[in-house]
Amino acid sequence: MSIVVLKIMLILGIIGHAINMYCDRILSIFPNGTINFGNIKEIREGNVLAETMEGVSEKVPMRSAVLGAFALVLEFMGYSSLAYYVYGYAKVNGSIMLAMTAFFCIIAAAYHVKTALVEYVFIKLGKDEKAKGLALDLMGDAPILRGCMLGLIVYIVTFIVSIVTGVIGFPMWAIMFTIIPVFILMIPFRIIGTIHIASMVSMFVWLILM
């Protein structure tokens, strides 16, 4: 596979993360408030969830589910592009990265659709206590986010090893532009979609270095 094709795939990965960030934000930011990991316990109480999502159409989570699944396909192309690049220099490292790309992208797609389905069910059933109970049960079922993050971490660690050992010819400073360090630096800003911003920044740097 030519370097030009790999770079095009990486650009598609950047676009995928941009779309996915939009999908995450419409699932989290509403006219009456925001739902995030910081206030997830609060929305379980009283009518907080119903008030936060007042006036939100069921079309919103469905749009997020469809676009999010499409975005994960584009992200897969971006991550697999770098995996193929590494494979050209270190077959074991590249194979691990490609396997992890398939692993965490598939799981991420499932998680994204499940999260959108939770909100769709809550809105469609009238946002009452029964609907909230069903939605929260659905949200708690099959906790797959940890599996997704584990796959991404293995991918990044393998990539860092490839940089440190010098097998792919990337400079040592490129380590600072892997997703996890950029993500950690952005945590204080509390931006919904931080992981996608970190990924886009990292992919842009990788695009230049490839």
Side-chain angles (χ1 to χ4, degrees):
M1 191 178 296
S2 72
I3 194 68
V4 174
V5 173
L6 293 178
K7 287 191 174 186
I8 291 174
M9 290 172 63
L10 202 49
I11 291 172
L12 291 175
I14 294 173
I15 295 172
H17 270 294
I19 295 173
N20 213 345
M21 182 171 70
Y22 164 77
C23 293
D24 283 352
R25 291 178 71 83
I26 65 174
L27 284 180
S28 305
I29 302 174
F30 307 106
N32 298 323
T34 300
I35 297 175
N36 53 51
F37 289 115
N39 65 2
I40 194 69
K41 292 182 179 180
E42 296 176 14
I43 67 172
R44 295 175 180 270
E45 302 174 0
N47 295 321
V48 176
L49 184 58
E51 293 172 357
T52 300
M53 298 188 67
E54 181 65 33
V56 178
S57 170
E58 70 273 9
K59 293 180 181 179
V60 173
M62 282 297 96
R63 185 196 317 152
S64 179
V66 174
L67 286 178
F70 171 69
L72 262 300
V73 173
L74 297 181
E75 288 178 34
F76 173 83
M77 296 179 72
Y79 287 109
S80 61
S81 170
L82 190 64
Y84 278 120
Y85 181 83
V86 173
Y87 184 84
Y89 297 90
K91 287 183 170 51
V92 173
N93 292 10
S95 296
I96 292 173
M97 290 174 67
L98 188 58
M100 289 301 101
T101 297
F103 178 75
F104 70 74
C105 282
I106 290 172
I107 293 180
Y111 178 78
H112 188 86
V113 171
K114 187 188 80 162
T115 304
L117 181 61
V118 167
E119 293 191 5
Y120 176 83
V121 167
F122 179 65
I123 295 171
K124 202 67 176 176
L125 294 182
K127 298 192 289 290
D128 56 16
E129 282 299 311
K130 182 178 180 181
K132 185 178 76 171
L134 182 59
L136 292 177
D137 285 345
L138 182 60
M139 176 61 78
D141 191 33
I144 53 181
L145 184 59
R146 291 195 185 108
C148 177
M149 293 308 297
L150 176 62
L152 180 59
I153 289 172
V154 172
Y155 179 100
I156 295 300
V157 169
T158 305
F159 182 47
I160 289 175
V161 170
S162 301
I163 295 174
V164 172
T165 55
V167 295
I168 60 174
F170 279 18
M172 287 294 292
W173 57 259
I175 293 175
M176 294 303 299
F177 286 92
T178 50
I179 296 168
I180 296 175
V182 178
F183 176 79
I184 292 173
L185 288 174
M186 293 190 63
I187 286 178
F189 297 100
R190 297 179 179 275
I191 300 173
I192 293 177
T194 294
I195 186 65
H196 299 299
I197 296 174
S199 299
M200 285 188 284
V201 170
S202 299
M203 285 188 171
F204 180 73
V205 174
W206 301 338
L207 179 64
I208 295 173
L209 293 174
M210 284 178 67

